[in-house]
Amino acid sequence: MPSSSTTTTTTIKLHGFAKRAPDTPSGSFFCQKLETHLRLASFPRANYTLVDALPFRQPKGKLPCVTLSRPGAADVFLEDSHFILRALAADGVIPDVDAPLGLSAAQRADARAWQAWTEELVYAAVVCTRWLRPANYARSAAALPVPAPVRPFLAWFLHRRISTRLRASGVGMHSDAELDAILEEWVDGLDARLADGRQWFHGGDTPSSADVMLGSLLMNCAGEEANPEFNAMWMRRERVRAYAERCTRQWFPEYEGVLQLLRKTTSLFEPSDSFKFMCVPPGVLLKAAAQLKAPRRMTKPNSLSKHVQAAAGAFAGLRARSIVLSFHDTESRLQARDY
Ligand SMILES: N[C@@H](CCC(=O)N[C@@H](CS)C(=O)NCC(=O)O)C(=O)O
């Protein structure tokens, strides 16, 4: 039986995964998107609270969910970021943030297509890289914001649940190379979208719900250490990096760590489209260096092996979490990423 609210103002409880700290993005893109949308809609910060929750007990088995309390009305429980935002706008709790842009039906459909691409395919591919790649799985597990004794059990449970769902949906059946291709296509697409110098998804001076969605994915991933491959892909694209920085400054200037990382990245990555990136933990690089006695196993034995050998020596004592190998037609480069 829904309880009748005694509130004198409209308030929202945003049920989401616990955050590691208030000034870091949510570990869940969908939770991040919902809060970012509230900020774009200028819903007063004092009128919404983040409530730590787990997805298992929710009717759809997912987060975020919302409890909406309005003066004199029964509390309403809403699920699924997309339908939550539709309901909040339909009830007049927040405005239709896209209305001032006067978008045509085709422009709205275009944004919806980007949303489906990003939410249903690209984010699923990112989650595959976080949970199905052993080195990243270790990072995902270590970062779970629960007491240490509980962490391995929750990590095991989440891994089992997430991998089963990802495989059942088909995305989790792709190879690493195929997942990387899905991610590269999206980065290429966003880079191309921004190529005419536009600041926001639809152009003009005003951000829209599409910017909330895209910016939230970039903020969420920038705040995660378990998706280094994807981060290396988009952070080296100057336009995409600058867009992520713009979104962060616009809605979450308190995410200082993310802003710092985005600034640092500029000096580490060159905005060149002809580079292919691969992130490897230093241990893997050292193993690769040890295998140099069999250089025929490498695609470009001469240039690559020379650089791997040099980097193995140079980075041996470094505490970098991953090292970026970049391959170019004429040269190979290695850079340590100081996370
Ligand atoms: N379509 C949903 C997707 C929500 C979703 O996938 N949430 C993830 C976290 S980012 C979740 O709760 N996963 C838990 C699970 O699948 O066990 C939305 O827009 O809210």
Side-chain angles (χ1 to χ4, degrees), residues 78 93 96 101 118 121 218 231 253 261 293 303 308:
L78 302 164
V93 176
D96 172 357
L101 281 81
T118 305
L121 180 64
L218 297 173
N231 281 353
L261 175 69
K293 291 185 193 99
S303 58
V308 168

Side-chain angles (χ1 to χ4, degrees), residues 119-202:
E119 297 188 353
E120 308 299 335
L121 180 64
V122 171
Y123 185 59
V126 170
V127 176
C128 286
T129 71
R130 286 178 186 169
W131 289 90
L132 304 184
R133 294 181 181 176
N136 294 343
Y137 167 65
R139 292 175 183 144
S140 296
L144 287 173
V146 291
V150 186
R151 209 170 287 143
F153 300 103
L154 183 63
W156 174 83
F157 182 76
L158 284 174
H159 178 263
R160 212 179 65 146
R161 182 175 161 105
I162 292 171
S163 55
T164 304
R165 290 183 171 195
L166 288 171
R167 290 197 177 101
S169 76
V171 184
M173 299 303 286
H174 294 315
S175 67
D176 281 353
E178 287 166 338
L179 290 170
D180 285 344
I182 288 171
L183 299 175
E184 289 264 15
E185 281 169 354
W186 184 87
V187 175
D188 285 346
L190 184 54
D191 199 24
R193 180 102 196 168
L194 300 167
D196 61 3
R198 70 181 64 200
Q199 300 290 294
W200 302 110
F201 182 85
H202 291 291

Side-chain angles (χ1 to χ4, degrees), residues 186-201 211 214-215 218 233-247 262 265-266 269-274:
W186 184 87
V187 175
D188 285 346
L190 184 54
D191 199 24
R193 180 102 196 168
L194 300 167
D196 61 3
R198 70 181 64 200
Q199 300 290 294
W200 302 110
F201 182 85
D211 296 295
L214 296 167
L218 297 173
M233 268 178 217
W234 67 264
M235 286 186 189
R236 73 186 173 84
R237 303 290 185 99
E238 175 53 22
R239 286 187 288 262
V240 179
R241 184 208 60 76
Y243 177 72
E245 193 179 349
R246 195 174 311 128
C247 292
L262 290 173
T265 303
T266 325
F269 297 97
E270 290 173 28
S272 159
D273 290 344
S274 53

Side-chain angles (χ1 to χ4, degrees), residues 1 24 34 47 56 58 121 123 145 154 165 185 198 205 219 235 244 252 258 266 273 291 312 314 323:
M1 194 70 179
T24 58
L34 190 53
N47 293 357
F56 318 125
Q58 314 305 335
L121 180 64
Y123 185 59
L154 183 63
R165 290 183 171 195
E185 281 169 354
R198 70 181 64 200
D205 299 333
M219 282 187 263
M235 286 186 189
F252 288 93
V258 166
T266 325
D273 290 344
Q291 284 176 4
I323 286 169

